[in-house]
Amino acid sequence: MKYHAFLIKYAEIGIKGKNRYLFEDALVKHIRLAMERVEGEFEVKKESGRIYVQALSDYDYDEAVDALKHVFGIVWICPVVQLKDEGYDKLAEQVVEYMGNVYPQGDYTFKVHSRRARKNYPKDSQQLNADLGEAILNAYENARVDVHNPQVLLSVEVRDTCINVYSVSIPGAGGMPVGTAGKAMLLLSGGIDSPVAGYMIAKRGVTIEAVYFHAPPYTSERAKQKVVDLAKQVSKYTGPIKLHVVNFTDIQTAIYEKCPEEMLTVIMRRFMMRIAQAIAKDHGAKCLVTGENLGQVASQTMDAMAVTGAVVDIPMFHPLIGMDKEEIVTRARKIGTLETSILPYEDCCTVFTPKHPKTKPVLALVEAEEAKLDVDALVADA
């Protein structure tokens, strides 16, 4: 079956009132960027409350669908056959042909759902539903009507310029178009969680940059490349990601030499937050995003997260905070980051993990230990 276009359906954008056009324009922009990766020529346009991706040349259907699946804001991708209005008899013939091409087995329940944007069409929606349904029943003896729970919902839209016929709805990524909800700085490690956190905050319309803390020689160049690869994989959904690589070795060494072992992780993470915030402010990011998940490890208890977050004065978002690990792994597998995340290259957090970390650190005690360090100089150098 050769489809001429894709009808793009969204959800939340439809309730944005007078600002709706801003979200639609952002969605159109990201669809255009996505389709640039697909061989062929496409036109993306808004038309009477609809967004279409029009194929202007031959193209690879699977490649086009895959590109559209990576665009936040799209809820459904509907491959459409667009017909010229040549009268009802020709339309009935073409609809019957469509059903035969898409459902050659001929054994299904169906419902016809017609809409007329062009009110001067000679048949109203109810007449089209009945008459096209009758034409399909006459053509395919095993087809049956079910208006409540059909296996096939055939949509026929009479528009000003053409008639759209479609029955396939492919799930999109959902969410909101990237760039409609500000910019965030993601703390990106080589683990499973933080790439998923980046994906999830971007799904809410947030543009992301990322910061990675590298600790040579304790962490290898392969560990850094792993993070670069993860950023590239996430960028398939978010658009280009600027990745800031921070040399963290001097800070970790200083903490290791002057602070109690059980406080290594929480003090180290406080430095990470300070540095990430400084970079965020330099680059117009309004919040930090982490892959923390409540209670997963010692540094992610409520007490530890409160002490860690005390050093920043911009919001910190934790998209995974209430998820089970298996839920995170499932999402990582779905977005294509899991296989890279589980490669056995240690990051700077795992290298310096204490045997018995503090799970309920006290802010005053942590600050007293940090006073042994030249915090401002270490942050500035990093």
Side-chain angles (χ1 to χ4, degrees):
M1 186 71 198
K2 186 174 182 179
Y3 294 101
H4 309 136
F6 297 94
L7 170 61
I8 303 301
K9 294 187 177 183
Y10 50 71
E12 285 182 74
I13 293 175
I15 60 172
K16 290 301 179 182
K18 293 181 180 179
N19 289 328
R20 175 172 163 176
Y21 76 97
L22 296 173
F23 294 87
E24 289 178 333
D25 289 347
L27 181 55
V28 167
K29 172 188 170 183
H30 286 289
I31 292 171
R32 285 174 177 153
L33 289 171
M35 299 312 290
E36 287 178 1
R37 301 194 295 267
V38 181
E39 187 173 347
E41 188 177 354
F42 300 89
E43 180 184 12
V44 183
K45 59 183 179 181
K46 291 196 303 180
E47 184 181 290
S48 304
R50 288 283 193 268
I51 295 177
Y52 293 100
V53 179
Q54 191 91 31
L56 304 179
S57 65
D58 289 336
Y59 69 99
D60 185 292
Y61 172 83
D62 292 333
E63 189 180 2
V65 169
D66 183 69
L68 292 169
K69 282 183 175 181
H70 285 77
V71 178
F72 288 131
I74 297 178
V75 176
W76 296 105
I77 305 159
C78 302
V80 173
V81 172
Q82 295 185 313
L83 307 173
K84 293 181 180 179
D85 183 5
E86 301 178 70
Y88 170 75
D89 291 339
K90 183 64 174 178
L91 173 61
E93 178 185 321
Q94 291 171 316
V95 166
V96 167
E97 181 183 1
Y98 170 91
M99 294 296 282
N101 287 334
V102 180
Y103 308 101
Q105 76 281 4
D107 183 7
Y108 49 80
T109 60
F110 74 97
K111 174 184 177 180
V112 180
H113 176 66
S114 301
R115 295 179 63 182
R116 291 187 312 157
R118 178 156 51 91
K119 299 305 180 184
N120 63 355
Y121 193 76
K123 291 179 182 280
D124 65 22
S125 298
Q126 292 301 320
Q127 288 176 309
L128 278 172
N129 291 342
D131 294 350
L132 290 175
E134 182 180 13
I136 294 168
L137 289 172
N138 290 337
Y140 305 108
E141 60 181 17
N142 291 326
R144 302 172 308 284
V145 172
D146 183 347
V147 296
H148 300 293
N149 189 29
Q151 294 170 312
V152 177
L153 178 61
L154 176 67
S155 295
V156 179
E157 297 184 350
V158 180
R159 314 294 295 181
D160 290 333
T161 56
C162 65
I163 298 175
N164 292 329
V165 177
Y166 62 95
S167 61
V168 177
S169 294
I170 302 164
M176 299 292 287
V178 173
T180 57
K183 182 192 284 190
M185 186 63 63
L186 169 68
L187 280 81
L188 183 63
S189 72
I192 295 172
D193 300 339
S194 57
V196 177
Y199 165 91
M200 292 184 67
I201 199 70
K203 186 176 180 179
R204 297 308 308 152
V206 177
T207 300
I208 60 174
E209 292 189 13
V211 56
Y212 163 62
F213 295 93
H214 188 48
Y218 305 107
T219 54
S220 67
E221 286 300 308
R222 290 184 299 179
K224 182 169 75 173
Q225 185 59 47
K226 174 182 174 181
V227 174
V228 172
D229 293 340
L230 286 170
K232 288 181 179 178
Q233 289 160 353
V234 175
S235 75
K236 292 178 182 178
Y237 291 92
T238 66
I241 295 174
K242 181 177 288 185
L243 177 64
H244 305 269
V245 179
V246 176
N247 192 320
F248 204 57
T249 308
D250 290 346
I251 290 175
Q252 287 186 297
T253 303
I255 298 170
Y256 188 77
E257 290 176 352
K258 296 184 179 181
C259 300
E261 182 185 8
E262 67 271 15
M263 291 188 182
L264 288 180
T265 301
V266 69
I267 293 176
M268 178 180 69
R269 291 190 63 77
R270 282 164 61 87
F271 271 93
M272 289 180 173
M273 299 304 163
R274 290 183 178 102
I275 295 166
Q277 176 175 258
I279 298 172
K281 289 182 175 181
D282 283 346
H283 289 262
K286 298 178 181 179
C287 68
L288 302 182
V289 175
T290 79
E292 289 171 308
N293 171 244
L294 190 61
Q296 181 173 241
V297 294
S299 65
Q300 295 175 18
T301 64
M302 193 175 295
D303 298 86
M305 290 174 65
V307 171
T308 299
V311 297
V312 300
D313 57 22
I314 62 175
M316 289 180 61
F317 294 154
H318 314 289
L320 314 185
I321 197 69
M323 295 177 70
D324 295 334
K325 189 64 177 185
E326 188 55 40
E327 291 178 284
I328 301 170
V329 169
T330 299
R331 184 65 60 90
R333 184 178 290 112
K334 177 184 175 182
I335 67 176
T337 57
L338 181 62
E339 289 188 5
T340 302
S341 290
I342 61 177
L343 292 173
Y345 308 136
E346 291 185 316
D347 62 29
C348 63
C349 294
T350 55
V351 171
F352 285 87
T353 300
K355 292 181 180 179
H356 303 289
K358 278 276 188 185
T359 58
K360 295 183 177 181
V362 177
L363 179 57
L365 298 179
V366 172
E367 290 175 336
E369 293 299 333
E370 279 185 344
K372 300 174 183 178
L373 306 167
D374 190 344
V375 173
D376 292 341
L378 287 168
V379 170
D381 287 345

